[in-house]
Amino acid sequence: MAFKIKINLNLHLLLLFLITAVCLALASKDPELKQCKHQCKVQRQFDEQQKRDCERSCDEYYKMKKEKGRNYESEEEEEEEEEVENPYVFDDEHFVGQIETGEGKIKVLQKFTQRSHLLRGIENFRVSIVEANPSTFVVPTHFDAEIILFVAQGRGTITVIKEKRGSFELKCGDVFRIPSGAPFYFINKDEHRKLKIVKLLQSTSVPGHFQTFQPAGGENPESFYTAFSWDLLEAAFKIPRDKLERFFKQQKPGTIIKASREQIRSLSRHEEIIPKIWPFSEGETERPFNLLKQHPCQSNKFGRLFEAYPDEFSQLRDLGVAIAFANITEGSMVAPHYNSKSMKIAVVLDGQGGFQMACPHLSSSSRRSGRWSEREEERKGERTYQKIRGRLSRGVVFVVPAGHPFSVFASPNHSLQIVCFEVNAYGNTKYFLAGKENIVNKMESIARELGFNTPGREVERMFKQQEEEFFFPGPNQQEHEWADA
C-alpha cells in the first residue's frame, strides 16, 4: 500500500514538474530546452527512468513548439513578402472605397499605411478620383478633411459655401482648395465630355481617415439630418414630424445625378460672384489657378514640367503641399533625381510607361526573407538597395519618399501624363543624378576621383556626356521590354 502511495506521489510530482517546465519554457522562449532537461536531471525525487521520461517530454514539447512557431513565421513571412513586393505602386485593386451610379463614380485609394508602414510619413493623406458624366450634378457634401483638387479633364462649375457662397468655373489644369468642413457641390456643364477630378485629402479628425457628410438624401445617399431624433428636428425646423419624415426620406438616385440643360445653365450663371476689386481681395485667394498656364519650369522636346509651390500660391500655403504636372513625350524619360524633403504622391492621368526607384529599406536580403529590418542592417554596417519597378498606366498611383533616387519614363509608343502632389514641400530641393545639372559635376575633381576610385577626368567624361536637362531621350527598348521595367 505504501509502495502504491509512493508511486502515485511520484507521478503527481512528475506531472507537477512537467507543468512547471512547460511554463518555464513558455516564459523563456527558445533557450529553454537545455534548461528543461537540466531541471529533469536535478530532481532528486525522480529515479533514472522518470528523468529519461522527463527529458523526452522536454524534447516533444520543444519540437511541437518549434513546428508551431515555424508555421506561424511562414505565414507571417508570406504576408510580409506581399508587402515588400512593391509597397510604392498602387493600381485598381488598391482603391477600396467606391461609389458608382449610372452617371459617374468616385473612388478612394486605401490608406497608405495599410499597404506598408514605410509610408507612415503620408499617413494623414488620401487620394480620390471623381468621374462625372456629361451634364451631371454632384450633390452637396462636406468632408472632415482639407482638399486640393486638380481638374484632369473637362469643365464644370464648383460652388463652395463659407461665410458666403462662391461659384467658380473649373477647366482642365485648374487647382482648387476646399477647406475642411466647407459644403460644396459641382456640375459637369459639358454636354459631351466627362469631368475628371483628382483630389488629395488631408484628414483633420482621425489620421488617414475621412468621412463625407451630406445634408440632402434619402437612403442613398443618406442625409445626416436623419441621425437626429424627430422631436429634435421638429423643434429645430418648427415643422411637424410627418412632413419632416416625408421630406428627408425621399429616395435619391445617388451622389452623382443627371441634370437638365436648364438646370446646368442656371448653376453656371452664378460663377465668380465674389467681387474681384478691393477691399474684397480675399476672394482672389479663393479662386482656382491654372497650373498649365504657368511658365513651365522644365521644357524641351522630350517633355514639359509645370510646378506650383506653397510659397507662391496661397491655396497651397498652410498645407505645405506643392503640385506638379509632367507631360513626358513618347520614348522619353525624366532624369534620375531625388527630393531632399518632400514625399511625392503621383497619379497617372494618361499614357503608359515605367517607374524605377532605389530603395534602401527593401534590400535584396530583406526581400528574400520577407522582412524589413533597418536595425539589423545598421548593426551589420550594410546598406544595399532594391530596384523598385512599376508599370504605369492610367489610374496608377505611385509614391516616392524623400531622398529616394527615382526616374519615370514613357513607353516608345505612348506619352505619359502625371499629376504629382508633393507633401512637405517647404525648403525642398531636387538633386539631379544625371544630365547638365547633376550633383557629381558640382563636386571638386579630387572629390570625384576619391569617391569613384577613378581618375577625375574619366569621372568628368562620364557625367558630362548627357547635355540635356531634366527630360532626356528614354531607354532604347522595344515595346514588350519597357513593360518589365
Side-chain angles (χ1 to χ4, degrees):
M1 184 67 177
F3 178 74
K4 288 184 179 180
I5 292 173
K6 184 177 181 181
I7 291 176
N8 289 336
L9 180 60
N10 284 340
L11 287 174
H12 279 88
L13 288 171
L14 176 60
L15 180 61
L16 180 62
F17 171 75
L18 288 175
I19 292 172
T20 305
V22 168
C23 291
L24 286 170
L26 287 170
S28 58
K29 301 223 169 158
D30 277 339
E32 74 274 39
L33 180 61
K34 187 175 180 181
Q35 181 183 359
C36 183
K37 289 187 175 183
H38 175 72
Q39 292 293 331
C40 292
K41 291 177 181 177
V42 298
Q43 297 304 311
R44 295 181 179 179
Q45 69 271 28
F46 289 179
D47 59 26
E48 290 302 315
Q49 183 60 44
Q50 289 172 330
K51 289 179 181 180
R52 285 193 293 271
D53 291 340
C54 180
E55 288 182 39
R56 188 163 52 250
S57 298
C58 289
D59 286 326
E60 289 174 359
Y61 162 76
Y62 184 79
K63 182 179 179 181
M64 177 187 70
K65 181 176 181 291
K66 190 175 181 180
E67 190 64 32
K68 184 177 180 181
R70 187 183 296 117
N71 291 338
Y72 172 78
E73 289 178 4
S74 177
E75 291 173 4
E76 187 178 58
E77 286 179 7
E78 286 177 9
E79 290 176 1
E80 292 187 19
E81 185 72 34
E82 290 178 8
E83 178 183 352
V84 303
E85 188 67 28
N86 193 339
Y88 300 103
V89 179
F90 302 77
D91 50 30
D92 280 342
E93 69 183 41
H94 300 110
F95 283 87
V96 293
Q98 186 154 317
I99 298 172
E100 191 163 0
T101 72
E103 298 301 335
K105 61 182 178 181
I106 302 171
K107 58 182 184 178
V108 180
L109 191 67
Q110 68 181 157
K111 186 178 175 182
F112 288 110
T113 49
Q114 187 177 342
R115 184 81 185 279
S116 172
H117 66 288
L118 293 172
L119 303 180
R120 58 188 179 273
I122 50 173
E123 180 182 19
N124 210 32
F125 292 87
R126 300 289 294 274
V127 171
S128 176
I129 298 175
V130 181
E131 291 184 12
N133 287 352
S135 302
T136 51
F137 175 70
V138 180
V139 301
T141 188
H142 75 265
F143 288 73
D144 57 349
E146 297 283 346
I147 302 172
I148 297 175
L149 63 81
F150 175 81
V151 182
Q153 176 183 299
R155 61 193 184 98
T157 298
I158 189 166
T159 299
V160 181
I161 300 172
K162 293 179 70 177
E163 291 81 7
K164 296 182 179 180
R165 187 185 72 245
S167 297
F168 307 96
E169 180 184 8
L170 294 178
K171 53 188 179 297
C172 186
D174 274 353
V175 178
F176 188 65
R177 163 87 172 274
I178 303 172
S180 178
F184 70 95
Y185 48 91
F186 58 90
I187 57 169
N188 179 1
K189 61 182 183 180
D190 197 302
E191 297 183 356
H192 305 289
R193 198 177 189 194
K194 285 186 176 183
L195 176 65
K196 185 174 181 179
I197 292 175
V198 179
K199 297 191 293 185
L200 180 72
L201 301 99
Q202 183 182 27
S203 56
T204 54
S205 295
V206 182
H209 295 273
F210 67 88
Q211 295 294 334
T212 60
F213 300 84
Q214 296 176 324
E219 294 180 5
N220 180 28
E222 183 182 16
S223 169
F224 56 65
Y225 282 111
T226 59
F228 295 99
S229 63
W230 292 114
D231 58 341
L232 187 147
L233 293 176
E234 280 183 307
F237 287 95
K238 295 178 65 175
I239 292 175
R241 172 175 176 170
D242 57 340
K243 290 185 178 180
L244 287 171
E245 287 188 16
R246 286 196 299 271
F247 179 77
F248 284 115
K249 289 188 175 181
Q250 295 180 86
Q251 177 63 40
K252 299 293 182 181
T255 300
I256 305 174
I257 59 178
K258 193 73 174 176
S260 67
R261 182 176 296 180
E262 291 74 20
Q263 291 169 326
I264 295 293
R265 187 180 297 116
S266 177
L267 288 168
S268 302
R269 196 176 296 136
H270 301 291
E271 291 170 359
E272 300 287 352
I273 66 169
I274 295 179
K276 296 182 180 180
I277 60 174
W278 187 90
F280 302 101
S281 57
E282 183 182 356
E284 281 292 320
T285 67
E286 297 177 348
R287 287 183 171 80
F289 67 88
N290 194 280
L291 182 62
L292 305 184
K293 289 185 178 180
Q294 311 304 312
H295 184 74
C297 58
Q298 299 286 347
S299 180
N300 59 25
K301 64 181 179 180
F302 307 110
R304 302 181 82 193
L305 177 69
F306 301 85
E307 291 182 317
Y309 280 89
D311 53 354
E312 300 169 343
F313 294 89
S314 58
Q315 295 211 30
L316 307 173
R317 190 164 297 151
D318 60 328
L319 296 181
V321 174
I323 186 168
F325 174 83
N327 189 356
I328 309 169
T329 58
E330 56 188 40
S332 300
M333 66 177 285
V334 172
H337 68 284
Y338 64 89
N339 288 306
S340 63
K341 292 180 65 177
S342 67
M343 199 162 183
K344 184 189 295 289
I345 303 171
V347 182
V348 180
L349 303 179
D350 202 7
Q352 294 181 355
F355 157 76
Q356 292 188 14
M357 181 177 74
C359 180
H361 304 301
L362 303 177
S363 67
S364 297
S365 59
S366 67
R367 187 181 177 91
R368 285 193 299 270
S369 67
R371 296 181 180 275
W372 171 65
S373 178
E374 187 175 43
R375 185 176 299 175
E376 182 179 352
E377 288 182 354
E378 287 176 350
R379 186 172 63 250
K380 293 179 179 179
E382 299 175 353
R383 176 62 69 202
T384 57
Y385 301 93
Q386 179 66 34
K387 177 165 62 178
I388 302 296
R389 303 167 177 248
R391 296 186 185 186
L392 302 182
S393 58
R394 184 182 300 174
V396 169
V397 177
F398 64 94
V399 175
V400 182
H404 286 51
F406 76 100
S407 181
V408 176
F409 55 92
S411 77
N413 297 323
H414 298 274
S415 61
L416 191 61
Q417 296 180 0
I418 303 173
V419 62
C420 304
F421 301 96
E422 297 194 352
V423 177
N424 196 29
Y426 280 117
N428 181 65
T429 301
K430 286 185 175 67
Y431 287 100
F432 297 100
L433 308 178
K436 189 175 180 180
E437 297 297 323
N438 74 77
I439 58 175
V440 177
N441 282 345
K442 297 178 181 180
M443 299 176 183
E444 299 99 326
S445 178
I446 189 65
R448 294 195 292 257
E449 185 172 313
L450 290 169
F452 287 92
N453 194 29
T454 302
R457 290 183 181 178
E458 179 64 23
V459 178
E460 185 176 353
R461 281 196 295 269
M462 294 288 290
F463 282 88
K464 285 192 173 180
Q465 188 70 24
Q466 177 60 265
E467 296 180 349
E468 296 291 348
E469 188 175 350
F470 199 80
F471 293 108
F472 307 156
N476 184 19
Q477 303 176 83
Q478 298 297 319
E479 179 71 22
H480 69 278
E481 291 177 328
W482 70 264
D484 294 330

